Amino acid sequence: MTVTEPTPYVNAVRLMAEQGDPDAQHTMGALLLQGEEIAQDFDAAAQWHRLAAEQGHPDAQHDLGVMAWEGLGCAPDAEAARQWFTLAAQQGNPDARNNLGVLWATGEGGAQDLAQACYWFALAARDGLPDAQDNLQQARNEASEQEWRAAQERLDALTAQATDDADDAL
């Protein structure tokens, strides 16, 4: 699809994005990244995603991670990808959790740590991401007993903290 003029939808999203709305900034970045309803522009996509990401938008953080990892509009940078995925994963983004697990499992962008990989894959699988379960099984098969126990302990601590937080909210 060739787009010559922005659609009314794109114009409305751009206006909200320019006013600082992080959801609109992320949407604008996604439209530019995918080249939907507007010409594809990786540089502009990164700019909009960064504005949203700096406001804590986890989907924009994830998308910046993907752009860095795949080298979209920049040289591939697995270290930057790991940083963006970490921010998004800590906020519960399942795709970022899975991607972060891949980076930990492979050692791209930093140290290899199968305990960390298992932890992030387990969270993404808990979130319902189908690929994460397969990735978890593969990492589990490659992990030592010590690495697997470390991942389980971290997950148990996270579960205990969530239970305490729920009890405190009552």
Side-chain angles (χ1 to χ4, degrees):
M1 171 176 159
T2 303
V3 179
T4 55
E5 291 294 320
T7 65
Y9 171 72
V10 170
N11 287 332
V13 170
R14 184 184 309 272
L15 179 63
M16 291 187 309
E18 288 170 349
Q19 293 173 352
D21 181 276
D23 289 326
Q25 290 168 340
H26 168 256
T27 299
M28 198 69 215
L31 291 170
L32 288 158
L33 178 62
Q34 297 164 3
E36 292 182 11
E37 298 194 43
I38 192 168
Q40 189 173 52
D41 183 338
F42 293 141
D43 290 335
Q47 290 171 359
W48 285 115
H49 279 310
R50 186 172 299 279
L51 288 171
E54 289 173 351
Q55 293 186 69
H57 196 288
D59 295 334
Q61 293 165 341
H62 168 265
D63 290 352
L64 279 173
V66 169
M67 291 182 76
W69 196 10
E70 295 180 4
L72 301 176
C74 60
D77 186 347
E79 186 177 339
R82 189 183 284 218
Q83 292 169 354
W84 286 117
F85 289 150
T86 298
L87 291 172
Q90 289 171 338
Q91 293 186 74
N93 182 291
D95 292 313
R97 287 175 167 178
N98 188 63
N99 291 342
L100 186 57
V102 170
L103 293 177
W104 279 110
T106 62
E108 289 181 75
Q112 181 183 30
D113 185 330
L114 290 175
Q116 286 282 354
C118 288
Y119 172 76
W120 290 110
F121 288 144
L123 288 179
R126 222 186 256 177
D127 293 337
L129 195 66
D131 290 344
Q133 186 62 46
D134 294 337
N135 290 340
L136 175 60
Q137 187 59 48
Q138 183 175 349
R140 170 64 182 107
N141 291 341
E142 295 174 16
S144 68
E145 266 316 301
Q146 182 179 1
E147 289 169 321
W148 180 242
R149 275 195 310 274
Q152 287 180 309
E153 288 170 8
R154 191 162 177 213
L155 287 166
D156 290 346
L158 183 66
T159 301
Q161 181 62 49
T163 301
D164 290 345
D165 291 347
D167 289 343
D168 290 345
L170 295 177

